[in-house]
Amino acid sequence: MATAYFIAGTDTEIGKTFITCALLHTARRAGLSAIAMKPVAAGAEQVGDEWVNEDAAQLRAAGSFDPGLAELNPICLRTAVAPHIAAAAEGARIDPGKILDAFGRLSTQADLVLVEGVGGFRVPLTDTFDTADLAAALNLPIILVVGMRLGCINHALLTAEAIAARGLTLAGWVANQIDPGMQRITENLYALQQHLGAPCLGHVAFRRDADPAAVTSLVLPAAAR
């Protein structure tokens, strides 16, 4: 069975997919077979006979092999809004069992499987089930992507509290600089290191090229090396 992690973010648009792809490339450079899945995605375009979400396509391209979108992205909604709203508009149902089944199959195919969440850590998927519930159902340790911008310390600490409240382990965190003009970044990084209580897996400086394969500043959690 693969070593696996759930990739959570401090918010939406903080570079979870970019960092997940960068971690895949880090693992592959270390000689590991690595793939990632996007269990739920909202926002897709038709490409041939497939509906393709942009994030899922990036994960597909960064992995060691292509497991197919049915496994990599089992719930693909067409409308780019919150998943539970998109599902209601499309008359679709987000079935956690379908996600768990796809993860189970993928976990037999690679050394490392990364599961990228949606938006922040607590995004509703149904009236009674959110992404934190999904992480708990998968029972995976968490890698937290911290979007480095004003307010990131508060967002990171609140997310870490939510992770602990679900009985999950914060295996590590990545500082992803999304604001090129952020002031006092060194001091912010120090505060996060002091308060998060988990290892920092790397600081990724702002990149205009957005090329995850070029990121060499990350390390994998100890259990995955």
Side-chain angles (χ1 to χ4, degrees), residues 52-72:
V52 181
N53 170 265
E54 182 181 357
D55 291 349
Q58 291 180 40
L59 298 177
R60 188 184 202 181
S64 296
F65 59 91
D66 179 9
L69 284 177
E71 303 284 53
L72 186 152

Side-chain angles (χ1 to χ4, degrees), residues 36-154:
M37 69 180 297
K38 182 84 172 179
V40 180
E45 295 184 358
Q46 192 164 13
V47 180
D49 60 354
E50 293 181 314
W51 283 91
V52 181
N53 170 265
E54 182 181 357
D55 291 349
Q58 291 180 40
L59 298 177
R60 188 184 202 181
S64 296
F65 59 91
D66 179 9
L69 284 177
E71 303 284 53
L72 186 152
N73 181 205
I75 308 293
C76 182
L77 303 162
R78 300 177 188 182
T79 311
V81 295
H84 70 292
I85 296 173
E90 296 173 23
R93 176 173 174 263
I94 296 177
D95 179 4
K98 186 175 181 180
I99 296 169
L100 297 177
D101 288 346
F103 171 75
R105 290 187 292 269
L106 288 177
S107 66
T108 67
Q109 299 177 40
D111 299 318
L112 177 68
V113 177
L114 303 179
V115 181
E116 185 192 333
V118 183
F121 185 58
R122 292 207 56 195
V123 174
L125 299 177
T126 72
D127 290 341
T128 59
F129 193 87
D130 64 16
T131 49
D133 294 318
L134 176 59
L138 291 165
N139 194 29
L140 296 180
I142 309 295
I143 295 175
L144 179 62
V145 180
V146 180
M148 297 301 292
R149 62 185 176 200
L150 186 64
C152 65
I153 297 173
N154 177 62

